[in-house]
Amino acid sequence: MSTKNKAYFDELLHQLQKMEDKMAVGGGAKALTRLKEKGKMSARERIAALLDPGTASVEIGALAGWGMYEEEGGCPSGGVVVVLGYIHGRLVVVVANDATVKAGAWFPITGKKNLRAQEIAMENRLPIIYLVDSAGIYLPLQNEIFADKEHFGRIFRNNARMSSMGIVQIAAVMGSCVAGGAYLPIMSDEALIVEESGSIFLAGSYLVKAAIGEEVDNEKLGGASTHCEISGVTDHKMPNDSACLERIRLLVSQLAEPQRAGFDRIPSVDPARPATELYELFPAGNARPYDVLPLLECLVDQGSMVPYKELYGQSICCVYARVDGWAVGIVANQRKVVKNAQGEMQFGGVIYSDSADKATRFIANCNQRRIPLVFLQDVTGFMVGSRSEHGGIIKDGAKMVNAVANSVVPKFTIITGHSYGAGNYAMCGKAYDPRLIVAWPSAEIAVMGGEQASKVLLQIQTSAAKAAGKAMDPATEQSLLKDIQANYKAQTHPQYAAARLWVDGIIDPVRTRQVISIGIEAANHAPITDSFNMGVLQV
């Protein structure tokens, strides 16, 4: 076991905790104080009061917006908190606007995060709870959030679609709810509003006066009494945040039992190795080969692993196993250097034709047997070179991508190390609809490795300079290379991906088992109605 590897993860987790702590403050201490003075709870306090105490939960997009919108003062956690958790033992999605961040206004990343929350609810047929406290679209960036297909209006389209699908939506107006945003709670199944602090209107009092000359205050225009006693827009008038949240808990407690997909689960067994050994088994900086099987022994129930074609296509490891009692099929990149049947060395983390062929068949088997798939990504891409091209690597890679794309069982992706190029796609990257996709703090996500990419980018820039008659001297080239490498490294960091919701979050490796288990439990709420069909293939 390596103390160097442990120290590497200790530092990464320390940095991750600092980032999460900063994001959790939202708009800052002063903004939080102003919120308290109004008698309101913070977004995170509301969620904590709503969910069952002491139960597991998964926060989605905790680092959304990290390092973005700096000219606007930032948008911590995207200005909205999203959590997958339990109410009276029932798994739900909770979406809470953070009014300390620009009064809960919607930035582009806010819209993207809200859509992701709705996507999780729709894919898994989970009840979704909206805790509304928002000033609406952030006007300086309205051109990036208003009119496109995946912008603000998609929220209300999803409200309508979820209603038709029978997915329960409950909305609580606990602060401002203005303009187009007013449709969200009213397109939900049931709407609550908090007295004095909650308000709903298409236009506030200032805009009403400017538009039609009418003078009216916001409370009379769209407060709790107006909408519960006059307009009938809302269903429950609640005296304060606490009472409102308790009413939501009561409503959820009365929901009927959901239909189930029927994924197999037996009593959980602890893994053969403690989860903390992951820190020691994974190499510092992902700088050397390693055997992925001991990592799996930290994640799966002891005695449950059944290897599939273990002597064939060894750069991908496929196993049937159980995670917290749930039956799963695991597709993991094998990072150790191995020999194939011809005695040829194969590099770890690279997908070869035989390993792509094996993974394709394994994915098909899991779909046939209705077994959820878990992808453990540490992949540098597909093998290149004339021998691989002549052997049909593109064809074999396409078969694997096809199998992943057409899978009907739920998929879950854990990015542990490299996630480069088409390897990201074949191993179920974000574009391939994993129900949850998370990264370890050791992850690197990019079209190719930093060293190769920086040299390619340098070559492009030096060639352009030469063509313009401005050839660079060696010192200038070296300085430019360092700048390119620094920029590229920042973009491959998992926090860059998490900020943009390319992943649902960065997790401590020891939580991997818990995240997979909750993810499968969520997926079990959505019966599979489609058949697995890979369509036309070049065989």
Side-chain angles (χ1 to χ4, degrees), residues 62-83:
L63 296 182
W66 176 269
M68 301 169 67
Y69 312 112
E70 292 182 355
E71 292 183 0
E72 311 292 337
C75 187
S77 283
V80 61
V81 184
V82 176
V83 174

Tab-separated table of all heavy atoms in Angstrom, residues 62-83:
chain	number	residue	atom	x	y	z
A	62	ALA	N	-23.193	20.410	-7.036
A	62	ALA	CA	-22.750	21.281	-5.941
A	62	ALA	C	-21.749	22.330	-6.417
A	62	ALA	O	-21.701	23.444	-5.891
A	62	ALA	CB	-22.133	20.448	-4.816
A	63	LEU	N	-20.934	21.983	-7.425
A	63	LEU	CA	-19.909	22.911	-7.913
A	63	LEU	C	-20.338	23.624	-9.192
A	63	LEU	O	-19.513	24.253	-9.865
A	63	LEU	CB	-18.592	22.168	-8.158
A	63	LEU	CG	-17.930	21.551	-6.926
A	63	LEU	CD1	-16.611	20.887	-7.306
A	63	LEU	CD2	-17.699	22.593	-5.838
A	64	ALA	N	-21.620	23.552	-9.531
A	64	ALA	CA	-22.103	24.245	-10.723
A	64	ALA	C	-21.790	25.736	-10.623
A	64	ALA	O	-21.999	26.362	-9.583
A	64	ALA	CB	-23.610	24.045	-10.886
A	65	GLY	N	-21.266	26.285	-11.701
A	65	GLY	CA	-20.949	27.708	-11.737
A	65	GLY	C	-19.592	28.070	-11.179
A	65	GLY	O	-19.201	29.251	-11.217
A	66	TRP	N	-18.833	27.082	-10.674
A	66	TRP	CA	-17.520	27.378	-10.090
A	66	TRP	C	-16.621	28.062	-11.128
A	66	TRP	O	-16.416	27.563	-12.220
A	66	TRP	CB	-16.863	26.092	-9.600
A	66	TRP	CG	-15.465	26.310	-9.064
A	66	TRP	CD1	-14.299	26.246	-9.762
A	66	TRP	CD2	-15.102	26.662	-7.731
A	66	TRP	NE1	-13.235	26.521	-8.942
A	66	TRP	CE2	-13.699	26.784	-7.696
A	66	TRP	CE3	-15.832	26.884	-6.563
A	66	TRP	CZ2	-13.011	27.116	-6.529
A	66	TRP	CZ3	-15.143	27.200	-5.406
A	66	TRP	CH2	-13.746	27.316	-5.387
A	67	GLY	N	-16.111	29.244	-10.765
A	67	GLY	CA	-15.208	29.975	-11.651
A	67	GLY	C	-15.875	30.631	-12.842
A	67	GLY	O	-15.195	31.191	-13.713
A	68	MET	N	-17.191	30.595	-12.908
A	68	MET	CA	-17.935	31.180	-14.022
A	68	MET	C	-18.599	32.492	-13.596
A	68	MET	O	-18.795	32.747	-12.418
A	68	MET	CB	-18.995	30.201	-14.525
A	68	MET	CG	-18.422	28.863	-15.002
A	68	MET	SD	-19.677	27.589	-15.299
A	68	MET	CE	-20.552	28.278	-16.701
A	69	TYR	N	-18.922	33.316	-14.536
A	69	TYR	CA	-19.649	34.579	-14.320
A	69	TYR	C	-18.942	35.492	-13.329
A	69	TYR	O	-19.580	36.165	-12.508
A	69	TYR	CB	-21.078	34.312	-13.826
A	69	TYR	CG	-21.819	33.274	-14.618
A	69	TYR	CD1	-22.140	32.043	-14.054
A	69	TYR	CD2	-22.186	33.511	-15.941
A	69	TYR	CE1	-22.820	31.074	-14.785
A	69	TYR	CE2	-22.859	32.550	-16.676
A	69	TYR	CZ	-23.169	31.330	-16.089
A	69	TYR	OH	-23.838	30.379	-16.814
A	70	GLU	N	-17.622	35.521	-13.387
A	70	GLU	CA	-16.867	36.317	-12.423
A	70	GLU	C	-17.166	37.805	-12.567
A	70	GLU	O	-17.171	38.543	-11.582
A	70	GLU	CB	-15.376	36.031	-12.573
A	70	GLU	CG	-15.019	34.602	-12.144
A	70	GLU	CD	-13.536	34.299	-12.239
A	70	GLU	OE1	-12.798	35.173	-12.741
A	70	GLU	OE2	-13.127	33.197	-11.826
A	71	GLU	N	-17.411	38.254	-13.787
A	71	GLU	CA	-17.754	39.671	-13.988
A	71	GLU	C	-19.111	40.008	-13.385
A	71	GLU	O	-19.397	41.173	-13.097
A	71	GLU	CB	-17.757	40.004	-15.478
A	71	GLU	CG	-16.375	39.950	-16.130
A	71	GLU	CD	-16.420	40.350	-17.592
A	71	GLU	OE1	-17.529	40.675	-18.085
A	71	GLU	OE2	-15.361	40.338	-18.243
A	72	GLU	N	-19.940	38.990	-13.196
A	72	GLU	CA	-21.265	39.202	-12.601
A	72	GLU	C	-21.255	38.978	-11.095
A	72	GLU	O	-22.306	39.030	-10.460
A	72	GLU	CB	-22.280	38.232	-13.245
A	72	GLU	CG	-22.258	38.192	-14.757
A	72	GLU	CD	-22.758	39.482	-15.375
A	72	GLU	OE1	-23.498	40.199	-14.695
A	72	GLU	OE2	-22.416	39.758	-16.542
A	73	GLY	N	-20.099	38.676	-10.536
A	73	GLY	CA	-20.006	38.395	-9.109
A	73	GLY	C	-20.148	36.924	-8.775
A	73	GLY	O	-20.230	36.546	-7.603
A	74	GLY	N	-20.192	36.075	-9.810
A	74	GLY	CA	-20.269	34.635	-9.591
A	74	GLY	C	-21.689	34.126	-9.427
A	74	GLY	O	-22.636	34.895	-9.245
A	75	CYS	N	-21.821	32.825	-9.507
A	75	CYS	CA	-23.127	32.178	-9.332
A	75	CYS	C	-22.906	30.849	-8.600
A	75	CYS	O	-22.958	29.769	-9.199
A	75	CYS	CB	-23.785	31.952	-10.690
A	75	CYS	SG	-25.481	31.335	-10.605
A	76	PRO	N	-22.642	30.904	-7.283
A	76	PRO	CA	-22.317	29.697	-6.515
A	76	PRO	C	-23.400	28.624	-6.605
A	76	PRO	O	-24.591	28.908	-6.434
A	76	PRO	CB	-22.181	30.222	-5.080
A	76	PRO	CG	-21.881	31.675	-5.222
A	76	PRO	CD	-22.608	32.118	-6.445
A	77	SER	N	-22.975	27.416	-6.913
A	77	SER	CA	-23.876	26.268	-7.081
A	77	SER	C	-24.975	26.539	-8.111
A	77	SER	O	-26.040	25.911	-8.069
A	77	SER	CB	-24.506	25.846	-5.743
A	77	SER	OG	-23.573	25.118	-4.973
A	78	GLY	N	-24.708	27.475	-9.015
A	78	GLY	CA	-25.704	27.794	-10.029
A	78	GLY	C	-26.917	28.518	-9.478
A	78	GLY	O	-27.944	28.631	-10.159
A	79	GLY	N	-26.826	29.004	-8.223
A	79	GLY	CA	-27.950	29.721	-7.630
A	79	GLY	C	-29.134	28.837	-7.281
A	79	GLY	O	-30.235	29.333	-7.002
A	80	VAL	N	-28.929	27.520	-7.283
A	80	VAL	CA	-30.006	26.600	-6.945
A	80	VAL	C	-29.379	25.332	-6.363
A	80	VAL	O	-28.321	24.896	-6.803
A	80	VAL	CB	-30.878	26.274	-8.187
A	80	VAL	CG1	-30.056	25.598	-9.272
A	80	VAL	CG2	-32.088	25.442	-7.830
A	81	VAL	N	-30.021	24.763	-5.353
A	81	VAL	CA	-29.526	23.551	-4.710
A	81	VAL	C	-30.434	22.395	-5.112
A	81	VAL	O	-31.661	22.483	-5.010
A	81	VAL	CB	-29.501	23.694	-3.178
A	81	VAL	CG1	-28.891	22.454	-2.540
A	81	VAL	CG2	-28.710	24.940	-2.774
A	82	VAL	N	-29.834	21.303	-5.599
A	82	VAL	CA	-30.580	20.125	-6.039
A	82	VAL	C	-30.078	18.905	-5.274
A	82	VAL	O	-28.870	18.644	-5.247
A	82	VAL	CB	-30.410	19.892	-7.556
A	82	VAL	CG1	-31.107	18.597	-7.980
A	82	VAL	CG2	-30.956	21.076	-8.350
A	83	VAL	N	-30.986	18.176	-4.665
A	83	VAL	CA	-30.621	17.021	-3.845
A	83	VAL	C	-31.557	15.857	-4.146
A	83	VAL	O	-32.774	16.032	-4.278
A	83	VAL	CB	-30.665	17.366	-2.338
A	83	VAL	CG1	-30.433	16.122	-1.491
A	83	VAL	CG2	-29.626	18.428	-1.995
